[in-house]
Amino acid sequence: MAIIPIPLFDTLDRLCDTALPSSYYTEQRQVDVKKVIDFLKQYSGSISTFRAYRREMERLLHWTWLIADKSIINLERTDIERYIVFCQKPPIAWIGTKTVSRFILSEQGIKIPNPAWRMFVATTSKSDFKYGIKADKKFYQLSDKSLQEILTVSSSFYTHLVTENTIKSNPVLLIRQKRKFFKKQQSTKQVMKLSEKQWEYVLIVAKKLAKSDPKKHERTLFILSILYLLYLRISELLAKPHWEPQMGHFFKDSQDFWWFVTLGKGKKERLISVSDAMLEALKRYRTHLELSPLPTRNDKTPLIPKLRGKGPLASESEARKIIQNCFDEAVRELRNENLTDEADSLEYATVHWLRHTGISDDINKRGRPIAHVRDDAGHNSILTTDRYNDIELKERYLSGKEKKL
């Protein structure tokens, strides 16, 4: 019978309460856990980063103990390579088909490991899920992004151990040709974004909703506008322990230029130029909220307030549902107009596509300089921004379109 791992680490504030169950306990494993806790505590400033690092360290611990039968401190380069191969095809018993809570309350009100929790989760597309097609464990695939996270987190952990003089060298850094573990891809990768027709219908839907139920959907239209026009990530709209987006984050400088400041990846503040269209959307929403048309620098009003109660919106799932509702309604409208292909592809869209669409439209339709778009989008490299440039893809398609048999 396959051993099924259990969750080890709870929330950040309960990290130090971690206790190994008797079936796992050895003195060396307790040492391993302490080393991992010391490492994870360094990421207390970002909940999302903490959760990602907790997930990867938990996977590595379970493989080390249950498969390699070693201490995490003693892993070598070849062990890490075996671990990567393992993660690419884990045992079926270690795979789930949905994300569940790590811990649940027992009948006695005590937190216990959730027996339904699994370290790996097979997923299905939004479109398949809508039509009742469930995820299948047999078709689990580790994405290149997830593989990169494994390498990044495990390397950070071993660098930490080197710094603490626990080990002499980082086994992850000793791996040569890491690319052999990744899928081979074309250098030109298409950016997932809305088509012109899809964006048109999504916007029409949002405006209809705002007209029929302004109390609820003027906010929807504003969220849609700010994600597209300012290229924001959904996380940059939401309140976090260390940052609360406010109306005063829109401001006018000494030259009468309008800007928006946000806190992006890596807790980096980013200044974004504000277009006339964004100012109009801001005025419309603030007028709905019975505020002055434009904010002052000391305006502490939440940028995206809750509909019920006071304070800023902080729930990412709620924010995603707001946009998903627009997408779903736009799909229905497209089908009503017999635009089946547009409707089918829109069913796969995610909220992040709005950021991609805004960036792409500015480069390809409005001709904004790529360097300006890079800075507003918060890309570290202009090469990332250049991926949104469709000119080469368009030329490549047109050059092959008239081929004859």
Side-chain angles (χ1 to χ4, degrees), residues 191-196 198-200 227-229 231 327 346 349-366 388 390:
V191 173
M192 305 309 290
K193 62 187 178 184
L194 303 183
S195 70
E196 190 171 344
Q198 289 168 343
W199 172 236
E200 175 190 340
L227 290 174
Y228 173 80
L229 291 170
Y231 326 144
F327 286 174
L346 183 56
T350 67
V351 174
H352 202 64
W353 286 27
L354 289 172
R355 170 177 161 86
H356 291 173
T357 306
I359 293 170
S360 180
D361 283 357
D362 269 2
I363 293 171
N364 297 297
K365 293 182 181 179
R366 303 180 186 102
Y388 295 82
D390 291 342

PDB file of all heavy atoms in Angstrom, residues 191-196 198-200 227-229 231 327 346 349-366 388 390:
ATOM      1  N   VAL A 191       1.387  35.111 -26.828  1.00  0.00           N
ATOM      2  CA  VAL A 191       0.818  35.625 -25.587  1.00  0.00           C
ATOM      3  C   VAL A 191      -0.684  35.378 -25.599  1.00  0.00           C
ATOM      4  O   VAL A 191      -1.363  35.620 -26.598  1.00  0.00           O
ATOM      5  CB  VAL A 191       1.105  37.140 -25.455  1.00  0.00           C
ATOM      6  CG1 VAL A 191       0.373  37.716 -24.264  1.00  0.00           C
ATOM      7  CG2 VAL A 191       2.602  37.382 -25.340  1.00  0.00           C
ATOM      8  N   MET A 192      -1.217  34.874 -24.483  1.00  0.00           N
ATOM      9  CA  MET A 192      -2.648  34.625 -24.377  1.00  0.00           C
ATOM     10  C   MET A 192      -3.364  35.938 -24.069  1.00  0.00           C
ATOM     11  O   MET A 192      -3.115  36.566 -23.037  1.00  0.00           O
ATOM     12  CB  MET A 192      -2.924  33.591 -23.279  1.00  0.00           C
ATOM     13  CG  MET A 192      -2.156  32.289 -23.452  1.00  0.00           C
ATOM     14  SD  MET A 192      -2.340  31.565 -25.096  1.00  0.00           S
ATOM     15  CE  MET A 192      -4.042  31.043 -25.047  1.00  0.00           C
ATOM     16  N   LYS A 193      -4.239  36.338 -24.973  1.00  0.00           N
ATOM     17  CA  LYS A 193      -4.933  37.622 -24.834  1.00  0.00           C
ATOM     18  C   LYS A 193      -6.283  37.539 -25.508  1.00  0.00           C
ATOM     19  O   LYS A 193      -6.576  36.600 -26.253  1.00  0.00           O
ATOM     20  CB  LYS A 193      -4.089  38.734 -25.464  1.00  0.00           C
ATOM     21  CG  LYS A 193      -3.863  38.523 -26.946  1.00  0.00           C
ATOM     22  CD  LYS A 193      -2.891  39.530 -27.527  1.00  0.00           C
ATOM     23  CE  LYS A 193      -2.670  39.235 -29.012  1.00  0.00           C
ATOM     24  NZ  LYS A 193      -1.657  40.113 -29.619  1.00  0.00           N
ATOM     25  N   LEU A 194      -7.116  38.547 -25.257  1.00  0.00           N
ATOM     26  CA  LEU A 194      -8.428  38.617 -25.890  1.00  0.00           C
ATOM     27  C   LEU A 194      -8.298  39.150 -27.310  1.00  0.00           C
ATOM     28  O   LEU A 194      -7.479  40.037 -27.576  1.00  0.00           O
ATOM     29  CB  LEU A 194      -9.363  39.536 -25.090  1.00  0.00           C
ATOM     30  CG  LEU A 194      -9.611  39.198 -23.618  1.00  0.00           C
ATOM     31  CD1 LEU A 194     -10.608  40.185 -23.029  1.00  0.00           C
ATOM     32  CD2 LEU A 194     -10.108  37.774 -23.452  1.00  0.00           C
ATOM     33  N   SER A 195      -9.132  38.621 -28.203  1.00  0.00           N
ATOM     34  CA  SER A 195      -9.184  39.176 -29.553  1.00  0.00           C
ATOM     35  C   SER A 195      -9.933  40.500 -29.502  1.00  0.00           C
ATOM     36  O   SER A 195     -10.577  40.853 -28.493  1.00  0.00           O
ATOM     37  CB  SER A 195      -9.906  38.216 -30.495  1.00  0.00           C
ATOM     38  OG  SER A 195     -11.300  38.167 -30.179  1.00  0.00           O
ATOM     39  N   GLU A 196      -9.860  41.236 -30.584  1.00  0.00           N
ATOM     40  CA  GLU A 196     -10.557  42.521 -30.647  1.00  0.00           C
ATOM     41  C   GLU A 196     -12.054  42.344 -30.427  1.00  0.00           C
ATOM     42  O   GLU A 196     -12.685  43.127 -29.710  1.00  0.00           O
ATOM     43  CB  GLU A 196     -10.284  43.178 -32.001  1.00  0.00           C
ATOM     44  CG  GLU A 196     -10.747  44.626 -32.089  1.00  0.00           C
ATOM     45  CD  GLU A 196     -10.272  45.314 -33.355  1.00  0.00           C
ATOM     46  OE1 GLU A 196      -9.350  44.785 -34.012  1.00  0.00           O
ATOM     47  OE2 GLU A 196     -10.809  46.387 -33.676  1.00  0.00           O
ATOM     48  N   GLN A 198     -13.594  39.791 -28.871  1.00  0.00           N
ATOM     49  CA  GLN A 198     -13.857  39.347 -27.497  1.00  0.00           C
ATOM     50  C   GLN A 198     -13.818  40.519 -26.522  1.00  0.00           C
ATOM     51  O   GLN A 198     -14.691  40.654 -25.657  1.00  0.00           O
ATOM     52  CB  GLN A 198     -12.828  38.289 -27.095  1.00  0.00           C
ATOM     53  CG  GLN A 198     -13.017  36.958 -27.788  1.00  0.00           C
ATOM     54  CD  GLN A 198     -11.827  36.036 -27.605  1.00  0.00           C
ATOM     55  OE1 GLN A 198     -10.728  36.462 -27.229  1.00  0.00           O
ATOM     56  NE2 GLN A 198     -12.012  34.752 -27.886  1.00  0.00           N
ATOM     57  N   TRP A 199     -12.795  41.370 -26.662  1.00  0.00           N
ATOM     58  CA  TRP A 199     -12.690  42.534 -25.778  1.00  0.00           C
ATOM     59  C   TRP A 199     -13.881  43.467 -25.974  1.00  0.00           C
ATOM     60  O   TRP A 199     -14.430  44.011 -25.009  1.00  0.00           O
ATOM     61  CB  TRP A 199     -11.377  43.254 -26.022  1.00  0.00           C
ATOM     62  CG  TRP A 199     -11.237  44.573 -25.310  1.00  0.00           C
ATOM     63  CD1 TRP A 199     -10.974  45.785 -25.865  1.00  0.00           C
ATOM     64  CD2 TRP A 199     -11.373  44.816 -23.901  1.00  0.00           C
ATOM     65  NE1 TRP A 199     -10.919  46.762 -24.906  1.00  0.00           N
ATOM     66  CE2 TRP A 199     -11.164  46.205 -23.680  1.00  0.00           C
ATOM     67  CE3 TRP A 199     -11.651  44.013 -22.803  1.00  0.00           C
ATOM     68  CZ2 TRP A 199     -11.226  46.787 -22.426  1.00  0.00           C
ATOM     69  CZ3 TRP A 199     -11.709  44.595 -21.534  1.00  0.00           C
ATOM     70  CH2 TRP A 199     -11.497  45.962 -21.362  1.00  0.00           C
ATOM     71  N   GLU A 200     -14.321  43.625 -27.213  1.00  0.00           N
ATOM     72  CA  GLU A 200     -15.481  44.473 -27.508  1.00  0.00           C
ATOM     73  C   GLU A 200     -16.716  43.963 -26.763  1.00  0.00           C
ATOM     74  O   GLU A 200     -17.441  44.738 -26.135  1.00  0.00           O
ATOM     75  CB  GLU A 200     -15.741  44.463 -29.019  1.00  0.00           C
ATOM     76  CG  GLU A 200     -16.998  45.218 -29.441  1.00  0.00           C
ATOM     77  CD  GLU A 200     -17.354  44.987 -30.905  1.00  0.00           C
ATOM     78  OE1 GLU A 200     -16.462  44.570 -31.687  1.00  0.00           O
ATOM     79  OE2 GLU A 200     -18.518  45.201 -31.275  1.00  0.00           O
ATOM     80  N   LEU A 227      -7.635  47.076 -14.984  1.00  0.00           N
ATOM     81  CA  LEU A 227      -6.804  45.928 -15.348  1.00  0.00           C
ATOM     82  C   LEU A 227      -6.298  46.052 -16.781  1.00  0.00           C
ATOM     83  O   LEU A 227      -5.150  45.715 -17.083  1.00  0.00           O
ATOM     84  CB  LEU A 227      -7.598  44.623 -15.190  1.00  0.00           C
ATOM     85  CG  LEU A 227      -7.917  44.187 -13.753  1.00  0.00           C
ATOM     86  CD1 LEU A 227      -8.831  42.966 -13.769  1.00  0.00           C
ATOM     87  CD2 LEU A 227      -6.657  43.881 -12.960  1.00  0.00           C
ATOM     88  N   TYR A 228      -7.161  46.545 -17.672  1.00  0.00           N
ATOM     89  CA  TYR A 228      -6.799  46.675 -19.085  1.00  0.00           C
ATOM     90  C   TYR A 228      -5.934  47.910 -19.337  1.00  0.00           C
ATOM     91  O   TYR A 228      -4.885  47.826 -19.985  1.00  0.00           O
ATOM     92  CB  TYR A 228      -8.074  46.751 -19.925  1.00  0.00           C
ATOM     93  CG  TYR A 228      -7.841  47.050 -21.389  1.00  0.00           C
ATOM     94  CD1 TYR A 228      -7.448  46.049 -22.278  1.00  0.00           C
ATOM     95  CD2 TYR A 228      -8.028  48.338 -21.890  1.00  0.00           C
ATOM     96  CE1 TYR A 228      -7.240  46.328 -23.627  1.00  0.00           C
ATOM     97  CE2 TYR A 228      -7.820  48.624 -23.234  1.00  0.00           C
ATOM     98  CZ  TYR A 228      -7.427  47.614 -24.096  1.00  0.00           C
ATOM     99  OH  TYR A 228      -7.219  47.911 -25.428  1.00  0.00           O
ATOM    100  N   LEU A 229      -6.328  49.054 -18.806  1.00  0.00           N
ATOM    101  CA  LEU A 229      -5.649  50.315 -19.137  1.00  0.00           C
ATOM    102  C   LEU A 229      -4.337  50.517 -18.386  1.00  0.00           C
ATOM    103  O   LEU A 229      -3.434  51.194 -18.879  1.00  0.00           O
ATOM    104  CB  LEU A 229      -6.584  51.495 -18.867  1.00  0.00           C
ATOM    105  CG  LEU A 229      -7.791  51.604 -19.811  1.00  0.00           C
ATOM    106  CD1 LEU A 229      -8.776  52.651 -19.302  1.00  0.00           C
ATOM    107  CD2 LEU A 229      -7.338  51.948 -21.234  1.00  0.00           C
ATOM    108  N   TYR A 231      -2.610  47.774 -17.052  1.00  0.00           N
ATOM    109  CA  TYR A 231      -1.908  46.473 -17.098  1.00  0.00           C
ATOM    110  C   TYR A 231      -1.715  45.874 -15.701  1.00  0.00           C
ATOM    111  O   TYR A 231      -0.714  45.184 -15.447  1.00  0.00           O
ATOM    112  CB  TYR A 231      -0.520  46.550 -17.728  1.00  0.00           C
ATOM    113  CG  TYR A 231      -0.245  47.502 -18.853  1.00  0.00           C
ATOM    114  CD1 TYR A 231       1.010  48.124 -18.935  1.00  0.00           C
ATOM    115  CD2 TYR A 231      -1.163  47.773 -19.869  1.00  0.00           C
ATOM    116  CE1 TYR A 231       1.324  48.975 -19.985  1.00  0.00           C
ATOM    117  CE2 TYR A 231      -0.857  48.626 -20.913  1.00  0.00           C
ATOM    118  CZ  TYR A 231       0.388  49.228 -20.962  1.00  0.00           C
ATOM    119  OH  TYR A 231       0.711  50.078 -21.995  1.00  0.00           O
ATOM    120  N   PHE A 327     -16.827  37.594 -18.463  1.00  0.00           N
ATOM    121  CA  PHE A 327     -16.401  36.675 -19.521  1.00  0.00           C
ATOM    122  C   PHE A 327     -17.538  35.704 -19.889  1.00  0.00           C
ATOM    123  O   PHE A 327     -17.814  35.470 -21.066  1.00  0.00           O
ATOM    124  CB  PHE A 327     -15.175  35.883 -19.076  1.00  0.00           C
ATOM    125  CG  PHE A 327     -13.894  36.665 -19.049  1.00  0.00           C
ATOM    126  CD1 PHE A 327     -12.730  36.104 -18.540  1.00  0.00           C
ATOM    127  CD2 PHE A 327     -13.821  37.964 -19.542  1.00  0.00           C
ATOM    128  CE1 PHE A 327     -11.534  36.808 -18.524  1.00  0.00           C
ATOM    129  CE2 PHE A 327     -12.629  38.683 -19.527  1.00  0.00           C
ATOM    130  CZ  PHE A 327     -11.493  38.094 -19.014  1.00  0.00           C
ATOM    131  N   LEU A 346     -12.860  32.250 -25.791  1.00  0.00           N
ATOM    132  CA  LEU A 346     -13.050  33.106 -24.617  1.00  0.00           C
ATOM    133  C   LEU A 346     -13.309  32.274 -23.362  1.00  0.00           C
ATOM    134  O   LEU A 346     -13.004  32.701 -22.245  1.00  0.00           O
ATOM    135  CB  LEU A 346     -14.199  34.089 -24.849  1.00  0.00           C
ATOM    136  CG  LEU A 346     -14.483  35.101 -23.727  1.00  0.00           C
ATOM    137  CD1 LEU A 346     -13.238  35.915 -23.382  1.00  0.00           C
ATOM    138  CD2 LEU A 346     -15.626  36.039 -24.127  1.00  0.00           C
ATOM    139  N   ALA A 349     -10.272  31.962 -21.302  1.00  0.00           N
ATOM    140  CA  ALA A 349      -9.616  33.189 -20.833  1.00  0.00           C
ATOM    141  C   ALA A 349      -9.564  33.256 -19.312  1.00  0.00           C
ATOM    142  O   ALA A 349     -10.463  32.787 -18.617  1.00  0.00           O
ATOM    143  CB  ALA A 349     -10.335  34.411 -21.384  1.00  0.00           C
ATOM    144  N   THR A 350      -8.508  33.860 -18.803  1.00  0.00           N
ATOM    145  CA  THR A 350      -8.385  34.130 -17.369  1.00  0.00           C
ATOM    146  C   THR A 350      -8.289  35.645 -17.166  1.00  0.00           C
ATOM    147  O   THR A 350      -8.097  36.398 -18.117  1.00  0.00           O
ATOM    148  CB  THR A 350      -7.126  33.465 -16.784  1.00  0.00           C
ATOM    149  OG1 THR A 350      -5.962  34.102 -17.342  1.00  0.00           O
ATOM    150  CG2 THR A 350      -7.088  31.978 -17.105  1.00  0.00           C
ATOM    151  N   VAL A 351      -8.386  36.056 -15.933  1.00  0.00           N
ATOM    152  CA  VAL A 351      -8.309  37.484 -15.609  1.00  0.00           C
ATOM    153  C   VAL A 351      -6.997  38.087 -16.117  1.00  0.00           C
ATOM    154  O   VAL A 351      -6.967  39.220 -16.598  1.00  0.00           O
ATOM    155  CB  VAL A 351      -8.435  37.694 -14.080  1.00  0.00           C
ATOM    156  CG1 VAL A 351      -8.199  39.157 -13.716  1.00  0.00           C
ATOM    157  CG2 VAL A 351      -9.806  37.261 -13.598  1.00  0.00           C
ATOM    158  N   HIS A 352      -5.919  37.311 -16.047  1.00  0.00           N
ATOM    159  CA  HIS A 352      -4.603  37.829 -16.437  1.00  0.00           C
ATOM    160  C   HIS A 352      -4.543  38.184 -17.918  1.00  0.00           C
ATOM    161  O   HIS A 352      -3.684  38.969 -18.328  1.00  0.00           O
ATOM    162  CB  HIS A 352      -3.516  36.805 -16.089  1.00  0.00           C
ATOM    163  CG  HIS A 352      -2.146  37.388 -15.959  1.00  0.00           C
ATOM    164  ND1 HIS A 352      -1.812  38.313 -14.981  1.00  0.00           N
ATOM    165  CD2 HIS A 352      -1.016  37.205 -16.689  1.00  0.00           C
ATOM    166  CE1 HIS A 352      -0.555  38.656 -15.108  1.00  0.00           C
ATOM    167  NE2 HIS A 352      -0.046  38.012 -16.150  1.00  0.00           N
ATOM    168  N   TRP A 353      -5.451  37.630 -18.713  1.00  0.00           N
ATOM    169  CA  TRP A 353      -5.495  37.973 -20.134  1.00  0.00           C
ATOM    170  C   TRP A 353      -5.780  39.457 -20.353  1.00  0.00           C
ATOM    171  O   TRP A 353      -5.407  40.016 -21.389  1.00  0.00           O
ATOM    172  CB  TRP A 353      -6.545  37.136 -20.860  1.00  0.00           C
ATOM    173  CG  TRP A 353      -6.155  35.703 -21.086  1.00  0.00           C
ATOM    174  CD1 TRP A 353      -5.301  34.946 -20.334  1.00  0.00           C
ATOM    175  CD2 TRP A 353      -6.624  34.844 -22.131  1.00  0.00           C
ATOM    176  NE1 TRP A 353      -5.212  33.675 -20.833  1.00  0.00           N
ATOM    177  CE2 TRP A 353      -6.014  33.579 -21.942  1.00  0.00           C
ATOM    178  CE3 TRP A 353      -7.502  35.005 -23.191  1.00  0.00           C
ATOM    179  CZ2 TRP A 353      -6.265  32.495 -22.786  1.00  0.00           C
ATOM    180  CZ3 TRP A 353      -7.750  33.920 -24.032  1.00  0.00           C
ATOM    181  CH2 TRP A 353      -7.124  32.686 -23.827  1.00  0.00           C
ATOM    182  N   LEU A 354      -6.455  40.097 -19.408  1.00  0.00           N
ATOM    183  CA  LEU A 354      -6.752  41.532 -19.548  1.00  0.00           C
ATOM    184  C   LEU A 354      -5.452  42.340 -19.524  1.00  0.00           C
ATOM    185  O   LEU A 354      -5.291  43.288 -20.290  1.00  0.00           O
ATOM    186  CB  LEU A 354      -7.695  41.998 -18.442  1.00  0.00           C
ATOM    187  CG  LEU A 354      -9.133  41.493 -18.538  1.00  0.00           C
ATOM    188  CD1 LEU A 354      -9.907  41.871 -17.280  1.00  0.00           C
ATOM    189  CD2 LEU A 354      -9.823  42.039 -19.773  1.00  0.00           C
ATOM    190  N   ARG A 355      -4.544  41.967 -18.648  1.00  0.00           N
ATOM    191  CA  ARG A 355      -3.223  42.625 -18.602  1.00  0.00           C
ATOM    192  C   ARG A 355      -2.501  42.413 -19.934  1.00  0.00           C
ATOM    193  O   ARG A 355      -1.979  43.363 -20.526  1.00  0.00           O
ATOM    194  CB  ARG A 355      -2.410  42.056 -17.439  1.00  0.00           C
ATOM    195  CG  ARG A 355      -0.922  42.469 -17.415  1.00  0.00           C
ATOM    196  CD  ARG A 355      -0.260  41.885 -16.173  1.00  0.00           C
ATOM    197  NE  ARG A 355       1.189  41.827 -16.277  1.00  0.00           N
ATOM    198  CZ  ARG A 355       2.024  42.821 -15.967  1.00  0.00           C
ATOM    199  NH1 ARG A 355       1.543  43.979 -15.556  1.00  0.00           N
ATOM    200  NH2 ARG A 355       3.325  42.650 -16.063  1.00  0.00           N
ATOM    201  N   HIS A 356      -2.500  41.161 -20.414  1.00  0.00           N
ATOM    202  CA  HIS A 356      -1.857  40.863 -21.691  1.00  0.00           C
ATOM    203  C   HIS A 356      -2.491  41.650 -22.839  1.00  0.00           C
ATOM    204  O   HIS A 356      -1.786  42.160 -23.720  1.00  0.00           O
ATOM    205  CB  HIS A 356      -1.976  39.364 -21.997  1.00  0.00           C
ATOM    206  CG  HIS A 356      -1.163  38.496 -21.097  1.00  0.00           C
ATOM    207  ND1 HIS A 356      -1.237  37.120 -21.111  1.00  0.00           N
ATOM    208  CD2 HIS A 356      -0.242  38.801 -20.150  1.00  0.00           C
ATOM    209  CE1 HIS A 356      -0.402  36.622 -20.224  1.00  0.00           C
ATOM    210  NE2 HIS A 356       0.206  37.618 -19.619  1.00  0.00           N
ATOM    211  N   THR A 357      -3.819  41.755 -22.806  1.00  0.00           N
ATOM    212  CA  THR A 357      -4.532  42.447 -23.880  1.00  0.00           C
ATOM    213  C   THR A 357      -4.197  43.932 -23.886  1.00  0.00           C
ATOM    214  O   THR A 357      -3.959  44.529 -24.939  1.00  0.00           O
ATOM    215  CB  THR A 357      -6.054  42.249 -23.731  1.00  0.00           C
ATOM    216  OG1 THR A 357      -6.344  40.844 -23.658  1.00  0.00           O
ATOM    217  CG2 THR A 357      -6.806  42.848 -24.910  1.00  0.00           C
ATOM    218  N   GLY A 358      -4.161  44.532 -22.696  1.00  0.00           N
ATOM    219  CA  GLY A 358      -3.825  45.954 -22.604  1.00  0.00           C
ATOM    220  C   GLY A 358      -2.425  46.245 -23.115  1.00  0.00           C
ATOM    221  O   GLY A 358      -2.205  47.207 -23.861  1.00  0.00           O
ATOM    222  N   ILE A 359      -1.466  45.413 -22.722  1.00  0.00           N
ATOM    223  CA  ILE A 359      -0.077  45.589 -23.166  1.00  0.00           C
ATOM    224  C   ILE A 359       0.012  45.427 -24.685  1.00  0.00           C
ATOM    225  O   ILE A 359       0.617  46.251 -25.388  1.00  0.00           O
ATOM    226  CB  ILE A 359       0.847  44.576 -22.460  1.00  0.00           C
ATOM    227  CG1 ILE A 359       0.937  44.883 -20.961  1.00  0.00           C
ATOM    228  CG2 ILE A 359       2.245  44.591 -23.074  1.00  0.00           C
ATOM    229  CD1 ILE A 359       1.632  43.820 -20.138  1.00  0.00           C
ATOM    230  N   SER A 360      -0.590  44.356 -25.186  1.00  0.00           N
ATOM    231  CA  SER A 360      -0.522  44.065 -26.622  1.00  0.00           C
ATOM    232  C   SER A 360      -1.185  45.158 -27.453  1.00  0.00           C
ATOM    233  O   SER A 360      -0.644  45.581 -28.481  1.00  0.00           O
ATOM    234  CB  SER A 360      -1.191  42.713 -26.903  1.00  0.00           C
ATOM    235  OG  SER A 360      -1.144  42.405 -28.268  1.00  0.00           O
ATOM    236  N   ASP A 361      -2.349  45.628 -27.014  1.00  0.00           N
ATOM    237  CA  ASP A 361      -3.054  46.669 -27.771  1.00  0.00           C
ATOM    238  C   ASP A 361      -2.252  47.966 -27.809  1.00  0.00           C
ATOM    239  O   ASP A 361      -2.227  48.668 -28.826  1.00  0.00           O
ATOM    240  CB  ASP A 361      -4.435  46.923 -27.174  1.00  0.00           C
ATOM    241  CG  ASP A 361      -5.443  45.834 -27.537  1.00  0.00           C
ATOM    242  OD1 ASP A 361      -5.063  44.917 -28.298  1.00  0.00           O
ATOM    243  OD2 ASP A 361      -6.588  45.881 -27.060  1.00  0.00           O
ATOM    244  N   ASP A 362      -1.598  48.291 -26.706  1.00  0.00           N
ATOM    245  CA  ASP A 362      -0.797  49.521 -26.691  1.00  0.00           C
ATOM    246  C   ASP A 362       0.380  49.436 -27.658  1.00  0.00           C
ATOM    247  O   ASP A 362       0.730  50.413 -28.321  1.00  0.00           O
ATOM    248  CB  ASP A 362      -0.289  49.812 -25.273  1.00  0.00           C
ATOM    249  CG  ASP A 362      -1.248  50.695 -24.488  1.00  0.00           C
ATOM    250  OD1 ASP A 362      -2.308  51.042 -25.032  1.00  0.00           O
ATOM    251  OD2 ASP A 362      -0.928  51.035 -23.336  1.00  0.00           O
ATOM    252  N   ILE A 363       0.991  48.261 -27.768  1.00  0.00           N
ATOM    253  CA  ILE A 363       2.132  48.097 -28.668  1.00  0.00           C
ATOM    254  C   ILE A 363       1.687  47.998 -30.122  1.00  0.00           C
ATOM    255  O   ILE A 363       2.216  48.686 -31.001  1.00  0.00           O
ATOM    256  CB  ILE A 363       2.950  46.851 -28.282  1.00  0.00           C
ATOM    257  CG1 ILE A 363       3.630  47.048 -26.924  1.00  0.00           C
ATOM    258  CG2 ILE A 363       4.004  46.538 -29.351  1.00  0.00           C
ATOM    259  CD1 ILE A 363       4.290  45.801 -26.369  1.00  0.00           C
ATOM    260  N   ASN A 364       0.679  47.168 -30.385  1.00  0.00           N
ATOM    261  CA  ASN A 364       0.322  46.831 -31.763  1.00  0.00           C
ATOM    262  C   ASN A 364      -0.721  47.749 -32.387  1.00  0.00           C
ATOM    263  O   ASN A 364      -0.737  47.922 -33.606  1.00  0.00           O
ATOM    264  CB  ASN A 364      -0.175  45.382 -31.823  1.00  0.00           C
ATOM    265  CG  ASN A 364       0.904  44.385 -31.428  1.00  0.00           C
ATOM    266  OD1 ASN A 364       1.918  44.274 -32.086  1.00  0.00           O
ATOM    267  ND2 ASN A 364       0.691  43.692 -30.327  1.00  0.00           N
ATOM    268  N   LYS A 365      -1.583  48.339 -31.575  1.00  0.00           N
ATOM    269  CA  LYS A 365      -2.643  49.205 -32.129  1.00  0.00           C
ATOM    270  C   LYS A 365      -2.329  50.682 -31.949  1.00  0.00           C
ATOM    271  O   LYS A 365      -2.670  51.506 -32.805  1.00  0.00           O
ATOM    272  CB  LYS A 365      -3.984  48.888 -31.462  1.00  0.00           C
ATOM    273  CG  LYS A 365      -4.528  47.511 -31.796  1.00  0.00           C
ATOM    274  CD  LYS A 365      -5.879  47.302 -31.122  1.00  0.00           C
ATOM    275  CE  LYS A 365      -6.419  45.907 -31.429  1.00  0.00           C
ATOM    276  NZ  LYS A 365      -7.723  45.669 -30.753  1.00  0.00           N
ATOM    277  N   ARG A 366      -1.715  51.011 -30.821  1.00  0.00           N
ATOM    278  CA  ARG A 366      -1.485  52.435 -30.521  1.00  0.00           C
ATOM    279  C   ARG A 366      -0.042  52.852 -30.755  1.00  0.00           C
ATOM    280  O   ARG A 366       0.279  54.038 -30.686  1.00  0.00           O
ATOM    281  CB  ARG A 366      -1.899  52.725 -29.072  1.00  0.00           C
ATOM    282  CG  ARG A 366      -3.362  52.344 -28.818  1.00  0.00           C
ATOM    283  CD  ARG A 366      -3.825  52.608 -27.408  1.00  0.00           C
ATOM    284  NE  ARG A 366      -5.167  52.088 -27.240  1.00  0.00           N
ATOM    285  CZ  ARG A 366      -5.471  50.949 -26.627  1.00  0.00           C
ATOM    286  NH1 ARG A 366      -4.507  50.216 -26.088  1.00  0.00           N
ATOM    287  NH2 ARG A 366      -6.725  50.542 -26.534  1.00  0.00           N
ATOM    288  N   TYR A 388       5.042  40.668 -26.724  1.00  0.00           N
ATOM    289  CA  TYR A 388       3.685  41.123 -27.049  1.00  0.00           C
ATOM    290  C   TYR A 388       3.611  41.769 -28.432  1.00  0.00           C
ATOM    291  O   TYR A 388       2.537  42.157 -28.883  1.00  0.00           O
ATOM    292  CB  TYR A 388       3.202  42.134 -25.993  1.00  0.00           C
ATOM    293  CG  TYR A 388       3.039  41.540 -24.612  1.00  0.00           C
ATOM    294  CD1 TYR A 388       4.129  41.376 -23.753  1.00  0.00           C
ATOM    295  CD2 TYR A 388       1.796  41.130 -24.162  1.00  0.00           C
ATOM    296  CE1 TYR A 388       3.987  40.825 -22.498  1.00  0.00           C
ATOM    297  CE2 TYR A 388       1.635  40.575 -22.898  1.00  0.00           C
ATOM    298  CZ  TYR A 388       2.737  40.433 -22.078  1.00  0.00           C
ATOM    299  OH  TYR A 388       2.578  39.875 -20.828  1.00  0.00           O
ATOM    300  N   ASP A 390       3.219  41.750 -32.081  1.00  0.00           N
ATOM    301  CA  ASP A 390       2.657  40.776 -33.025  1.00  0.00           C
ATOM    302  C   ASP A 390       3.173  40.931 -34.450  1.00  0.00           C
ATOM    303  O   ASP A 390       2.811  40.154 -35.334  1.00  0.00           O
ATOM    304  CB  ASP A 390       1.127  40.902 -33.078  1.00  0.00           C
ATOM    305  CG  ASP A 390       0.476  40.440 -31.788  1.00  0.00           C
ATOM    306  OD1 ASP A 390       1.135  39.721 -31.021  1.00  0.00           O
ATOM    307  OD2 ASP A 390      -0.696  40.800 -31.564  1.00  0.00           O
TER     308      ASP A 390
END
